[in-house]
Amino acid sequence: MKSRNIPFLVVSFLSALLTLHPLWGSEPATISVTAANQQFAQGGIFRIQVQATKAIKSIEAEFDKKELIFFQQVGYRLWMALAGIDLEAPAGEHLLQGNIRFTDDQSQRIHRAIRVLSRKFPEQHITVDEKYVTLSPADQKRAEEESKRLEALWATASNEQLWNGRFLKPLESDLTSGFGRRRIVNNQPRSPHAGVDFKASAGTPIQAANAGKVVLAANLFFSGNTVVIDHGLGLYTYYAHCATMEVQEGDKIRKGQVLGTVGSTGRVTGPHLHWSCRLSGARVDPLWLATPLLGE
């Protein structure tokens, strides 16, 4: 697939996006809060960095009512968090707010609105086996149980960063379907496409986008043989429709490790890899992971 030249934007929150107030009467620290991102738009990811003139003990904050997990980068004065904007987040103002606590037990507030932009997504018509559109009672029950299992995963976040630097694409190929497309399946509207589909022949090896832990390796009704990797801090990647799976739940994974092979299991029109990402539950475009957003 051809590489994309993506502008890398750094925005200062100190004057533009955030207002900081001391909780107590002491003199507040000088704080710099910046964001590096590609776009504040539906399906986007942005990085928040906090620096202060005195040591930070912890940061408790949320964006769009979803908890942000901050972690130290260098010493106690530089902290970072990733925030995701859901695919169907309404355009307009969304709140970034919380508290910064210092090692001297002083605190300062963060509170500011971030304007999320809308994106236009194309429509896609596909035809699949009717059993994946009009479900039997047994299949309906199975699909609902599997959905609950996945939602429980997305709601879980470890406090440890497991990934290392920029993410890899799970394979190098053209896309057959991009992120956010509005799906019409057998002439019936369905949920938007929350990932990307890579064109590939059956049996093509699939590599892990980054280091992490396998938290799901199972056959699911819609996505067939599916692998989910927890990269820590609420960040997950999802690999669907595999022919084979060469890992199992609980395995620790290194970046580039083969997870399985491309197949056509589940609701598909032919062999391909569906790759998606969840960040604190938000459905975000996984291709942003392969940019300098997370390092080199």
Side-chain angles (χ1 to χ4, degrees):
M1 185 175 72
K2 294 182 179 179
S3 62
R4 301 186 298 173
N5 293 321
I6 303 173
F8 193 60
L9 177 66
V10 177
V11 179
S12 172
F13 281 104
L14 186 59
S15 60
L17 292 178
L18 296 182
T19 303
L20 302 175
H21 304 282
L23 290 182
W24 300 328
S26 63
E27 189 70 20
T30 300
I31 298 173
S32 171
V33 183
T34 59
N37 73 301
Q38 284 75 35
Q39 54 182 202
F40 292 109
Q42 294 164 330
I45 301 174
F46 62 98
R47 185 180 71 212
I48 305 168
Q49 288 191 167
V50 177
Q51 286 183 287
T53 54
K54 59 183 181 181
I56 296 171
K57 182 178 182 180
S58 63
I59 303 175
E60 295 182 357
E62 63 179 27
F63 172 69
D64 202 18
K65 298 183 179 180
K66 293 183 175 65
E67 181 184 6
L68 298 174
I69 303 177
F70 280 86
F71 58 97
Q72 297 168 248
Q73 287 191 288
V74 180
Y76 288 92
R77 299 187 180 185
L78 177 59
W79 291 57
M80 185 182 98
L82 295 177
I85 303 172
D86 189 75
L87 168 60
E88 295 186 289
E93 293 187 345
H94 294 250
L95 286 179
L96 171 61
Q97 57 187 344
N99 295 318
I100 301 173
R101 185 171 295 278
F102 301 98
T103 54
D104 62 4
D105 284 333
Q106 302 297 301
S107 297
Q108 292 184 220
R109 289 195 192 93
I110 303 170
H111 182 88
R112 188 66 183 186
I114 294 178
R115 182 167 293 279
V116 172
L117 304 176
S118 64
R119 291 174 60 185
K120 291 184 178 179
F121 297 106
E123 191 174 278
Q124 182 182 34
H125 292 254
I126 62 174
T127 301
V128 300
D129 191 318
E130 187 61 27
K131 75 175 184 178
Y132 291 109
V133 179
T134 305
L135 275 59
S136 69
D139 287 340
Q140 182 69 39
K141 180 180 179 181
R142 176 187 172 187
E144 290 174 355
E145 290 175 348
E146 291 172 351
S147 178
K148 290 177 182 178
R149 182 181 180 186
L150 290 171
E151 289 302 322
L153 285 179
W154 313 146
T156 303
S158 68
N159 291 319
E160 181 183 5
Q161 178 187 341
L162 302 178
W163 80 81
N164 179 28
R166 188 187 303 205
F167 279 53
L168 305 172
K169 295 174 185 176
L171 54 84
E172 287 296 334
S173 178
D174 294 330
L175 297 184
T176 59
S177 182
F179 179 80
R181 288 193 176 191
R182 271 39 188 174
R183 287 281 182 88
I184 310 298
V185 182
N186 292 14
N187 296 317
Q188 296 186 37
R190 287 293 184 264
S191 299
H193 193 223
V196 296
D197 290 345
F198 288 98
K199 180 180 180 181
S201 301
T204 302
I206 300 165
Q207 65 179 356
N210 214 315
K213 179 181 177 181
V214 176
V215 290
L216 185 143
N219 181 272
L220 305 182
F221 180 74
F222 285 117
S223 56
N225 291 331
T226 303
V227 175
V228 176
I229 299 178
D230 177 5
H231 301 286
L233 306 177
L235 180 61
Y236 295 84
T237 52
Y238 179 102
Y239 311 76
H241 310 303
C242 305
T244 61
M245 296 181 289
E246 299 181 17
V247 294
Q248 57 187 356
E249 292 173 22
D251 286 354
K252 292 183 178 180
I253 301 299
R254 65 183 183 278
K255 184 190 296 188
Q257 180 175 336
V258 173
L259 303 175
T261 57
V262 171
S264 55
T265 56
R267 186 176 72 182
V268 294
T269 57
H272 72 279
L273 171 66
H274 171 86
W275 185 44
S276 61
C277 172
R278 292 287 184 121
L279 176 55
S280 298
R283 297 165 295 174
V284 296
D285 189 340
L287 293 181
W288 292 129
L289 298 177
T291 72
L293 180 70
L294 298 180
E296 296 300 327

